[in-house]
Amino acid sequence: MKNYTTKIEAAQTVGEIQATLAKFGAEKISFDYKDGFPTTITFLLDFEGNKSLFCIEADAKGALEALKLDKKVSKQYQTLEQGQRVAWRITKDYIAIQLSFVEMRQATIQKVFLPYLVVQNGQTLFDYIKSEQGKKLLTQ
């Protein structure tokens, strides 16, 4: 499992993510916190002349479940704090990889983050498409 032994705190990682997104033109970058830990990052990007909000969640509880299920991961790494560190390091890596597509002129920043575009009722586009109303977009 990638990054499962990281000792880098989530706070440091979110700072690295913020700097990376800013370099690519993201504006008003902010983080939501719960119980003292960052949970989501939101940022604005220009999208067809409009400022559009994008939101990416780092799921520490999901990461912790994965750490507990992996037989190779020792108990010392099976804590919620480690789940936080791992979730944000993986999120940082994911964002960096997506932005590599942008650097290589394979896609635009808006395209790589399109699933995270905030649409109706504060949902991401991906979550909207999963809803009953959004599923209509998938039928031909």
Side-chain angles (χ1 to χ4, degrees), residues 37-85:
F37 291 104
T39 56
T40 57
I41 178 173
T42 57
F43 52 94
L44 287 177
L45 290 174
D46 183 73
F47 196 140
E48 301 292 319
N50 297 305
K51 298 290 183 184
S52 297
L53 187 65
F54 293 78
C55 182
I56 300 175
E57 179 182 5
D59 184 358
K61 289 180 181 175
L64 176 57
E65 288 176 29
L67 291 169
K68 287 180 175 180
L69 288 172
D70 191 324
K71 303 286 188 234
K72 293 178 251 165
V73 176
S74 66
K75 293 277 186 208
Q76 73 183 36
Y77 297 115
Q78 297 177 10
T79 65
L80 184 56
E81 291 79 12
Q82 188 65 16
Q84 285 287 339
R85 289 189 284 268

Side-chain angles (χ1 to χ4, degrees), residues 91-119:
T91 300
K92 181 190 84 64
D93 291 347
Y94 171 77
I95 289 170
I97 289 167
Q98 295 303 330
L99 292 173
S100 293
F101 279 94
V102 175
E103 285 182 312
M104 298 305 299
R105 309 288 193 261
Q106 303 301 301
T108 64
I109 191 170
Q110 296 83 356
K111 185 174 185 176
V112 298
F113 292 130
L114 190 60
Y116 305 102
L117 174 67
V118 177
V119 293

Side-chain angles (χ1 to χ4, degrees), residues 9-21 31 33 92:
E9 294 298 327
Q12 178 179 336
T13 301
V14 298
E16 293 171 17
I17 292 169
Q18 184 173 10
T20 300
L21 287 170
F31 295 87
Y33 287 79
K92 181 190 84 64

